[in-house]
Amino acid sequence: METKICYLIDDDDDDRELFETALYHVTQEMCFMTATSGVEALQQFCGHEDFTPDYIFIDLHMPVIDGKECLAEIKKINRFKDIPVVMYSTSMAQQDIDDTRKLGATAYISKPYSMAQLEKMLQTFFSEYNPKSQAHG
């Protein structure tokens, strides 16, 4: 079975660590990778043509390039057009949800208050979205 890659773009150290722990509890069959900014992620995506994660989660509020700008840039990369991109934010503002959907976000997940909630949200998401089987099935 091919190992899938879950890529988180988030400038908050604690949020990255919590996400990684929750992901590990949900599945040990997924590789976790991270970037601390939209700039870092875009440099990696554009600098490595052979690198395409299976899932991308993006924090909405980041310095330099915010989540919406990062999402728009990712969606311009042809090999990423079928990759689920999830906005992962503390904001539940309807405008943010609507804006990111229009930009191509697959889903919008509110950062939960507990590890158990995050694990449940990730479990639900991964059970609904399996890009490799859909793309190559």
Side-chain angles (χ1 to χ4, degrees), residues 70-83:
C70 186
L71 170 62
E73 291 302 312
I74 287 171
K75 287 300 181 176
K76 290 178 185 175
I77 302 170
N78 193 47
R79 71 182 190 280
F80 284 49
K81 66 181 175 77
D82 295 324
I83 303 297

Side-chain angles (χ1 to χ4, degrees), residues 58-62 66-68 87-89 91 96 100 108:
I58 307 173
D59 180 29
L60 189 63
H61 301 291
M62 295 184 291
D66 69 18
K68 291 178 190 178
M87 300 312 294
Y88 179 64
S89 178
S91 170
D96 288 333
T100 56
Y108 192 104

Side-chain angles (χ1 to χ4, degrees), residues 14-44:
D14 292 335
D15 285 347
R16 287 193 311 274
E17 186 175 318
L18 288 171
F19 191 99
E20 181 177 17
T21 301
L23 181 66
Y24 180 77
H25 289 161
V26 169
T27 176
Q28 289 84 50
E29 297 171 359
M30 195 168 307
C31 178
F32 176 72
M33 297 183 74
T34 186
T36 59
S37 70
V39 173
E40 179 184 337
L42 291 169
Q43 286 173 340
Q44 184 167 20

Side-chain angles (χ1 to χ4, degrees), residues 30-130:
M30 195 168 307
C31 178
F32 176 72
M33 297 183 74
T34 186
T36 59
S37 70
V39 173
E40 179 184 337
L42 291 169
Q43 286 173 340
Q44 184 167 20
F45 295 160
C46 295
H48 301 279
E49 295 294 321
D50 59 340
F51 175 64
T52 307
D54 297 279
Y55 305 95
I56 301 171
F57 288 75
I58 307 173
D59 180 29
L60 189 63
H61 301 291
M62 295 184 291
V64 186
I65 295 177
D66 69 18
K68 291 178 190 178
E69 293 171 295
C70 186
L71 170 62
E73 291 302 312
I74 287 171
K75 287 300 181 176
K76 290 178 185 175
I77 302 170
N78 193 47
R79 71 182 190 280
F80 284 49
K81 66 181 175 77
D82 295 324
I83 303 297
V85 180
V86 179
M87 300 312 294
Y88 179 64
S89 178
T90 55
S91 170
M92 281 309 295
Q94 191 61 48
Q95 188 65 52
D96 288 333
I97 296 168
D98 292 345
D99 289 349
T100 56
R101 288 281 184 170
K102 287 176 190 165
L103 290 168
T106 305
Y108 192 104
I109 295 177
S110 175
K111 289 183 180 180
Y113 296 106
S114 74
M115 180 67 71
Q117 286 177 316
L118 178 55
E119 288 172 12
K120 185 175 181 181
M121 292 169 105
L122 290 174
Q123 184 70 53
T124 300
F125 177 79
F126 292 126
S127 68
E128 292 176 6
Y129 294 95
N130 190 346

